[in-house]
Amino acid sequence: MPKQFAVIGNPIEQSRSPELHQAFAQDLGINLQYDKRLAALDGFEQSIEDFFKQGGQGLNVTVPFKEQAFALCGHLTERAKIAKAVNTLWMENGVLHGDNTDGQGLVNAIAALGWSLENSRILILGAGGATRGVIFPLAQAGAQYIQIANRTLSRAQQLVEDLKAAVGKTQLHATALDQLHGEFDLVINATSASLTGEALQLPETLKFDHAYEMAYGKASSFLDQAHQRGVSSSDGYGMLVGQAIEAFEIWHMVRPDLKKFL
Ligand code: ATR
């Protein structure tokens, strides 16, 4: 019987994780089964308990359970502790282990695009869970300055307070979304505005070389504006592949080649 893996969320139908993990496994000659698991909104803990009791090896966690997964782990990686959210679970010596591979997934995707993060100036739009998960990995990848711009300024300020000790010499700065200006190497849209179809207006006084939209498969006014300016840009599919590669490596100790799966 192949080893069992799954992605758990609610809803779950839209998840691309099974096809990615199956493609990695096929490429690397690994035998696995990777399913989608729908958990009831109040049934996450029971569902993961059942999965591991039945011999499951590893779970990916998606919306809306990443914070609950974080709270249930007996052991967490440093980046998961900082993100306060977990997207990858496994059992070791009877202890539930959790990691968060989303931020490194973004770093992998950016590297595959050939954009350098070393000494970079980055603007992140949004201050929710998606932003929290990527700041530490971006800092570790060499970002010099990260500005977090949010509609609700206090959330961006809180994030800076929470994360400034973790990011070492990377400077963090909070601003309001309607105060955007300055020059950046990279702007990342981590708001959920694209998911709801709402438009973000990037002012002319904001200059940047690259634009990364964390969402994928949706119309994005953020990407439209990047195209209009002629700057290089990407949607979030590479980040999805990038985080899956990190999870795959944790579970199987071999690393798929990102560029083969973009
Ligand atoms: P996630 O975990 O995906 O980051 P979240 O925690 O709900 O989700 O955060 C959503 C982010 O998108 C927040 O930064 C939110 O701004 P507020 O903190 O001011 O609510 C931002 N956001 C959502 N819709 C937006 C819109 N139409 N314009 C600007 N920002 C928006």
Side-chain angles (χ1 to χ4, degrees):
M1 184 150 125
K3 289 183 179 174
Q4 308 285 313
F5 298 86
V7 58
I8 183 166
N10 186 337
I12 200 59
E13 235 3 87
Q14 78 296 344
S15 175
R16 306 278 300 266
S17 290
E19 62 191 88
L20 284 172
H21 281 265
Q22 282 152 8
F24 301 160
Q26 194 170 22
D27 189 54
L28 292 163
I30 289 170
N31 187 22
L32 60 73
Q33 185 175 330
Y34 191 115
D35 301 315
K36 292 176 186 171
R37 254 177 116 85
L38 177 71
L41 290 175
D42 61 355
F44 175 70
E45 185 170 2
Q46 189 62 52
S47 186
I48 60 171
E49 209 177 297
D50 294 347
F51 176 82
F52 286 111
K53 257 193 205 138
Q54 288 156 10
Q57 302 276 314
L59 276 176
N60 282 130
V61 181
T62 189
V63 178
F65 298 126
K66 291 183 188 182
E67 285 80 14
Q68 265 189 66
F70 166 79
L72 290 170
C73 286
H75 182 273
L76 292 160
T77 61
E78 188 187 12
R79 63 193 182 189
K81 283 183 197 162
I82 294 166
K84 290 197 160 77
V86 155
N87 77 334
T88 305
L89 292 169
W90 68 101
M91 278 288 182
E92 233 174 276
N93 306 320
V95 176
L96 185 63
H97 281 53
D99 194 359
N100 188 318
T101 68
D102 287 329
Q104 188 58 41
L106 174 65
V107 169
N108 295 345
I110 290 171
L113 288 161
W115 305 348
S116 173
L117 290 170
E118 198 58 47
N119 296 319
S120 58
R121 289 175 56 83
I122 301 176
L123 171 65
I124 306 183
L125 310 179
T131 298
R132 178 182 279 274
V134 301
I135 289 176
F136 178 61
L138 288 170
Q140 280 195 311
Q144 180 196 91
Y145 174 80
I146 301 176
Q147 185 166 319
I148 303 162
N150 200 41
R151 185 173 58 181
T152 313
L153 173 62
S154 59
R155 269 186 104 185
Q157 289 169 328
Q158 187 63 52
L159 215 46
V160 169
E161 277 308 304
D162 287 358
L163 297 178
K164 68 181 180 200
V167 298
K169 59 181 173 24
T170 305
Q171 296 169 51
L172 296 184
H173 184 70
T175 49
L177 197 59
D178 58 10
Q179 302 287 315
L180 295 179
H181 68 278
E183 287 183 26
F184 295 88
D185 299 299
L186 168 63
V187 180
I188 299 168
N189 184 19
T191 70
S192 48
S194 331
L195 302 176
T196 54
E198 291 165 69
L200 286 176
Q201 203 51 50
L202 304 178
E204 284 305 319
T205 48
L206 177 68
K207 309 282 182 205
F208 51 95
D209 296 331
H210 308 295
Y212 198 93
E213 165 67 81
M214 278 201 198
Y216 68 90
K218 296 253 180 187
S220 158
S221 73
F222 172 77
L223 284 182
D224 290 346
Q225 291 170 73
H227 292 154
Q228 279 157 17
R229 290 168 178 238
V231 304
S232 55
S233 63
S234 173
D235 73 5
Y237 187 70
M239 179 175 174
L240 178 82
V241 181
Q243 64 75 31
I245 278 172
E246 297 295 321
F248 195 94
E249 190 177 15
I250 291 167
W251 295 331
H252 304 285
M253 267 129 36
V254 289
R255 189 174 178 83
D257 177 4
L258 177 74
K259 288 196 171 151
K260 280 191 183 174
F261 301 96
L262 289 176

